[in-house]
Amino acid sequence: MGNRCIIRATRLVLLVCLYCFTVPLWAAPTTVLTDAQTSVSVNTHLDFLHDPAGNLSIEDVAAPAYAAQFHNTGAADFSKGLTTDVYWLRVRILNQANAAHPWFLQLIGQEDASVAVYLQADLPSLATPPTRLEPQPYFLYHTYPLPLASQTAYTLYIRLHNENAALLGNAHFKQAEQRVNIHSVVFGVLLAGCLLALGVYNGILAFNLRDRNFAWLAVFILAIMLKLTQYTGLFQQYIRVSEQYVFLYSALGYLCIISYLAFFRHLLGTRSYLPYLDKVFAGIFWLAVIMMLGSPWLPFDLYVINVLALLSGVITLLAIWRLRRLQIPRIHKLNWAFFVLIGGLLPTVLNTLGISLGFNDHLNLSLTGVTLFVLLLSTVQADHVRRLREETTSANAANKAKGDFLTTMSHELRTPMNAVVGTGVLLQDTALTPQQRSYVDKLEIAARHMLTLIGNILDVARIEQQALHLEKISFDLNAIATELEILFARQAVDKGLAFNIHAPTDSVWLQGDPTRLKQILVNLLGNAIKFTECGSVECMLVVGKKSEEGLPVTFSVTDSGIGITPQQQVHLFQPFSQADSSTSRRYGGSGLGLAISAQLVRQMGGELSVESLPGQGSSFSFILEFPVVETIPAVQSSASIAPRTLPDAHILLVDDDVLNQFFAQAILEKLGMRVTVADSGAAAIQQAQQQDFAMVLMDVSMPGMDGYETTRQIRQFKPAAALPIIALTAHAIEGEWERCCAAGMDDFLSKPYQLRDLQQILQRWLR
């Protein structure tokens, strides 16, 4: 009897406990689904359970022990803001619809979240375990088919975890006809395919054109394509990749910003036109790089990405506006690109603020706007490259015209200078008073300075036309130092300056262009002495340690002169530029020497640098590497180059310039030659047919028939063995000797020439 009472009491306690646990569960609000409905909102029937550590499993959550720990949200929308905690949602469903009408769960606003959905049938007679639901193809992102039996109650559990953005959203139940159909899927795939093709196309252009901005645009387009799959679920639902793919969306977002900023910095030319805004661009760029590298450890990347994206867009529009105000031509399609982008995104932004525009397809509109935006950017970049090419072509044409002008002017200046130099030479060999000799000496100095300026102008033309070629011959570094000592020691002493050249005491034989190397050092030393009133000028040639590449030599010229400010140093190596206008007035000069020196050093494989402070002097230096000459070449003795007595010879002088005729005839007659003058090509041909000459000095630039054509016609009846023809030309440019040789000339004498130059030519060809 006692045992029976105990059993009855135990049953009563169990029934009471079962009632206590099940009544709250069954008393929870239930969402009812019927055949008359096509879409049902959860309304206030949504319960939640906080799982801070994320340790609870579905079995734990579905157990009766946790049933009472769920709390009702009090609203259809679930919102916990920024949190990395895990939350479980619970919805009670009573399906009164026909089983032939399937239902689907659609979660809104959880694109960035990690979601798991479980369904459990509430059958009193059978405890069924929860079943995990999986999305199927052709459904909108986070849409799950519900296997519901008619007239049956279910409990739906949803696990939410979001480390990228705020944890918020709502749930809806929709019938099959409300799901996203195949047409929407095809639309999304087409947009993705369009972006993929556009990105690959720009990548190919970047490779073919070697244009870095095309590469940045390609990266931006491809990153946009992958980022947009976050809102279509293309990769997660249709390609079936890992769920952890969602965490790559943050890196893709940062990559979009990084490539966007790099692209627009180059496209808008902010570094040149808007240096302050360019620093803002660069700051956001590197901040995005840092955030992308730290994204695996930093939560809520979506908010940071949105802020950086918004800031990047505002800065871009500000830069476009500033360029327009500065009247700097930019491509107008940019305005349309941003107009399309804003038009595509605006309905979505307004919808998030609760402002409806009367349609619900915001996603496809946004995707279309972004796709058109990058398409317009591609056309903008193409226009930009085309415009740059046109500008480059125009600049090259202008440079060629400038080079041709400088070459022509050099020729026109050299021609009269030939007469000036020749007249000075003739005057020096006459009986002169001391005052007259002083005048002639000054004339020679002025002529030499004028020839230096003409040579500099010609060098600038050669460099800009890339027609200046360096020699590769053997030379002694110590000999160059000795020549520099001879050239500048007297000038320095006359100004009261201490002058020193430090160089190796023994010969150092190298291979290179000694003429151009000496030209660089002459320019630097000439400037140092010119701009130093007191103190010292020092030149150092320091030989380094030999390596496989060659022997490095450090060249430096240091003075205690007027110095150069940092602002003046910016334009120091530009042609026709000096530190300021007063420098030219006080010290003279064309501003070409340093520009030519810098270009020559660069062509030799080095870089000319300067360190200077106003009033404390300057130091110019550069490092060059030369191949070492293992076999020292034999040095000619002075006897081998001593002038010999010239034979009495008959010379035909062909020149249309009267002054040059006078100078050349006087010099030749002074050397014992008999001279016949022809002032045109036709006259030269006639004289060559009528008389025998030992040599022809042929001016190549004559009106009508030039020297080249005249030579070709003379060669028809006078072979080279019988009559040497020597070119006289002021065209001291690359390829002139080849042109003269092709016409049948035997040698080359550049105007203006000295007496010794003409003497060497006569010794070489007169027999």
Side-chain angles (χ1 to χ4, degrees):
M1 185 68 179
N3 291 337
R4 189 176 296 174
C5 291
I6 293 174
I7 292 172
R8 288 178 178 176
T10 302
R11 289 176 177 175
L12 180 61
V13 171
L14 290 174
L15 289 173
V16 171
C17 291
L18 182 60
Y19 177 81
C20 292
F21 281 109
T22 58
V23 166
L25 182 62
W26 284 95
T30 302
T31 299
V32 180
L33 307 178
T34 66
D35 289 332
Q37 300 166 312
T38 58
S39 178
V40 178
S41 175
V42 175
N43 294 325
T44 60
H45 302 171
L46 195 62
D47 299 331
F48 72 92
L49 173 66
H50 189 195
D51 180 13
N55 295 328
L56 297 180
S57 65
I58 181 57
E59 289 76 13
D60 297 331
V61 174
Y66 285 93
Q69 297 186 28
F70 276 86
H71 303 280
N72 189 264
T73 59
D77 294 332
F78 175 75
S79 177
K80 287 298 177 182
L82 297 176
T83 178
T84 58
D85 294 350
V86 175
Y87 281 85
W88 289 84
L89 304 183
R90 185 182 67 186
V91 182
R92 294 285 301 160
I93 305 172
L94 178 58
N95 183 28
Q96 295 181 352
N98 192 313
H101 297 164
W103 285 86
F104 299 85
L105 170 69
Q106 183 179 3
L107 300 178
I108 307 299
Q110 296 298 326
E111 291 83 3
D112 298 281
S114 176
V115 179
V117 179
Y118 301 88
L119 183 67
Q120 183 180 31
D122 298 329
L123 299 175
S125 60
L126 179 63
T128 59
T131 302
R132 181 162 182 172
L133 304 181
E134 298 290 346
Q136 296 180 359
Y138 312 131
F139 290 88
L140 189 65
Y141 196 34
H142 286 323
T143 299
Y144 300 83
L146 300 175
L148 303 179
S150 181
Q151 305 302 320
T152 305
Y154 294 88
T155 303
L156 196 64
Y157 297 96
I158 304 170
R159 186 183 188 274
L160 296 178
H161 182 215
N162 197 345
E163 294 185 351
N164 297 316
L167 194 62
L168 53 87
N170 53 44
H172 293 274
F173 296 101
K174 294 180 178 292
Q175 283 195 2
E177 60 269 18
Q178 299 300 316
R179 66 176 178 164
V180 175
N181 56 35
I182 188 64
H183 301 293
S184 296
V185 174
V186 171
F187 179 74
V189 171
L190 287 176
L191 289 183
C194 177
L195 291 174
L196 177 62
L198 200 58
V200 172
Y201 174 71
N202 282 278
I204 294 173
L205 288 178
F207 178 79
N208 290 336
L209 300 177
R210 301 294 190 271
D211 191 303
R212 185 170 52 185
N213 216 36
F214 270 117
W216 281 119
L217 181 58
V219 172
F220 175 65
I221 294 174
L222 294 176
I224 281 285
M225 182 205 71
L226 296 174
K227 177 67 175 173
L228 291 182
T229 63
Q230 176 180 2
Y231 305 101
T232 61
L234 179 64
F235 277 82
Q236 288 163 285
Q237 295 188 44
Y238 308 143
I239 303 181
R240 312 299 295 169
V241 298
S242 169
E243 290 183 1
Q244 301 304 316
Y245 178 83
V246 69
F247 297 107
L248 296 178
Y249 285 135
S250 297
L252 290 172
Y254 287 121
L255 187 59
C256 289
I257 295 172
I258 291 169
S259 53
Y260 170 94
L261 291 169
F263 171 75
F264 272 100
R265 281 185 73 190
H266 184 274
L267 179 68
L268 300 178
T270 56
R271 185 172 299 179
S272 301
Y273 300 117
L274 305 170
Y276 294 109
L277 280 179
D278 184 73
K279 292 179 180 178
V280 178
F281 269 102
I284 302 174
F285 176 91
W286 289 112
L287 179 60
V289 171
I290 294 172
M291 296 300 296
M292 183 178 70
L293 296 177
S295 59
W297 302 277
L298 299 175
F300 315 125
D301 287 314
L302 183 62
Y303 280 86
V304 179
I305 292 171
N306 288 339
V307 171
L308 292 180
L310 179 62
L311 187 58
S312 301
V314 171
I315 294 299
T316 305
L317 293 175
L318 180 59
I320 294 173
W321 176 76
R322 287 288 298 146
L323 290 174
R324 187 181 294 275
R325 290 290 302 272
L326 294 173
Q327 296 183 347
I328 296 173
R330 294 288 97 178
I331 300 174
H332 297 293
K333 289 182 182 178
L334 277 177
N335 299 331
W336 284 105
F338 280 98
F339 177 78
V340 169
L341 178 65
I342 294 172
L345 297 180
L346 186 60
T348 302
V349 174
L350 293 178
N351 187 65
T352 58
L353 299 176
I355 303 174
S356 177
L357 297 181
F359 63 94
N360 297 320
D361 201 3
H362 304 134
L363 177 62
N364 286 338
L365 181 62
S366 298
L367 294 177
T368 303
V370 172
T371 303
L372 292 177
F373 174 70
V374 297
L375 180 62
L376 287 172
L377 284 189
S378 297
T379 61
V380 166
Q381 172 64 11
D383 290 344
H384 177 64
V385 171
R386 177 185 52 77
R387 183 172 55 83
L388 287 180
R389 286 188 170 185
E390 291 176 353
E391 291 177 355
T392 302
T393 302
S394 177
N396 290 338
N399 282 335
K400 185 179 184 305
K402 182 173 66 175
D404 293 343
F405 171 76
L406 292 176
T407 302
T408 302
M409 286 303 299
S410 173
H411 170 267
E412 295 301 322
L413 290 171
R414 281 174 177 271
T415 299
M417 282 301 299
N418 187 54
V420 173
V421 172
T423 303
V425 171
L426 294 174
L427 282 173
Q428 285 179 333
D429 203 32
T430 60
L432 300 173
T433 66
Q435 185 180 27
Q436 290 172 333
R437 184 161 298 278
S438 173
Y439 291 160
V440 173
D441 290 342
K442 289 181 174 59
L443 175 65
E444 183 184 6
I445 293 173
R448 188 167 57 244
H449 178 64
M450 187 68 177
L451 288 176
T452 301
L453 292 178
I454 295 172
N456 286 340
I457 293 174
L458 186 60
D459 282 341
V460 170
R462 286 170 171 170
I463 290 171
E464 291 189 349
Q465 293 180 344
Q466 297 181 345
L468 191 149
H469 299 288
L470 301 176
E471 288 185 312
K472 288 187 178 180
I473 60 175
S474 301
F475 68 93
D476 182 9
L477 188 65
N478 182 267
I480 289 181
T482 302
E483 291 182 42
L484 294 174
E485 178 81 25
I486 295 172
L487 285 172
F488 292 102
R490 183 68 182 176
Q491 296 181 38
V493 170
D494 291 344
K495 292 190 69 172
L497 304 176
F499 181 73
N500 293 295
I501 293 184
H502 303 278
T505 55
D506 298 327
S507 295
V508 179
W509 284 91
L510 306 172
Q511 189 177 54
D513 192 330
T515 303
R516 293 301 181 181
L517 177 61
K518 187 166 65 175
Q519 179 182 356
I520 296 168
L521 296 173
V522 166
N523 282 336
L524 296 179
L525 282 170
N527 282 342
I529 293 175
K530 180 167 64 173
F531 295 114
T532 303
E533 299 296 337
C534 61
S536 64
V537 173
E538 186 177 57
C539 178
M540 300 186 69
L541 286 69
V542 181
V543 178
K545 186 177 180 180
K546 183 180 178 182
S547 64
E548 294 181 358
E549 288 75 16
L551 189 67
V553 182
T554 302
F555 302 88
S556 63
V557 175
T558 305
D559 64 67
S560 58
I562 60 176
I564 311 166
T565 66
Q567 293 78 13
Q568 294 167 343
Q569 293 177 30
V570 175
H571 307 288
L572 195 60
F573 299 131
Q574 295 180 2
F576 307 101
S577 173
Q578 287 188 325
D580 56 50
S581 58
S582 61
T583 302
S584 179
R585 291 193 298 269
R586 182 177 179 183
Y587 297 98
S590 62
L592 292 174
L594 286 179
I596 294 171
S597 299
Q599 291 285 356
L600 289 175
V601 170
R602 190 173 296 114
Q603 195 164 346
M604 291 181 179
E607 194 69 32
L608 181 60
S609 61
V610 59
E611 295 181 3
S612 181
L613 289 174
Q616 299 183 26
S618 305
S619 177
F620 292 84
S621 62
F622 58 95
I623 301 175
L624 298 176
E625 286 193 356
F626 299 95
V628 178
V629 177
E630 303 296 342
T631 304
I632 300 177
V635 181
Q636 287 183 315
S637 64
S638 58
S640 63
I641 58 174
R644 59 182 174 84
T645 303
L646 294 171
D648 181 13
H650 191 187
I651 307 296
L652 175 61
L653 174 63
V654 185
D655 201 319
D656 65 302
D657 187 89
V658 176
L659 290 177
N660 283 324
Q661 290 175 9
F662 167 77
F663 160 65
Q665 184 175 2
I667 293 293
L668 289 170
E669 290 176 348
K670 185 179 181 63
L671 294 173
M673 304 293 109
R674 291 181 292 114
V675 181
T676 297
V677 178
D679 59 0
S680 67
I685 295 171
Q686 182 179 5
Q687 291 290 346
Q689 290 174 333
Q690 295 175 355
Q691 302 186 59
D692 290 329
F693 295 100
M695 177 186 292
V696 177
L697 296 177
M698 179 73 68
D699 182 25
V700 299
S701 297
M702 294 184 293
M705 184 185 300
D706 59 22
Y708 309 110
E709 180 60 27
T710 304
T711 300
R712 280 190 285 268
Q713 295 197 22
I714 292 177
R715 283 289 177 237
Q716 293 179 5
F717 58 87
K718 285 285 185 179
L723 181 62
I725 300 179
I726 312 302
L728 297 178
T729 177
H731 288 297
I733 60 175
E734 187 73 21
E736 181 64 18
W737 160 239
E738 289 78 4
R739 188 179 179 187
C740 293
C741 185
M745 301 182 189
D746 300 288
D747 211 335
F748 182 98
L749 187 59
S750 178
K751 297 178 183 179
Y753 50 84
Q754 303 287 342
L755 175 61
R756 62 177 179 273
D757 300 326
L758 181 58
Q759 208 167 4
Q760 289 176 0
I761 289 290
L762 295 174
Q763 289 176 354
R764 187 179 304 150
W765 292 102
L766 290 181
R767 299 173 177 86

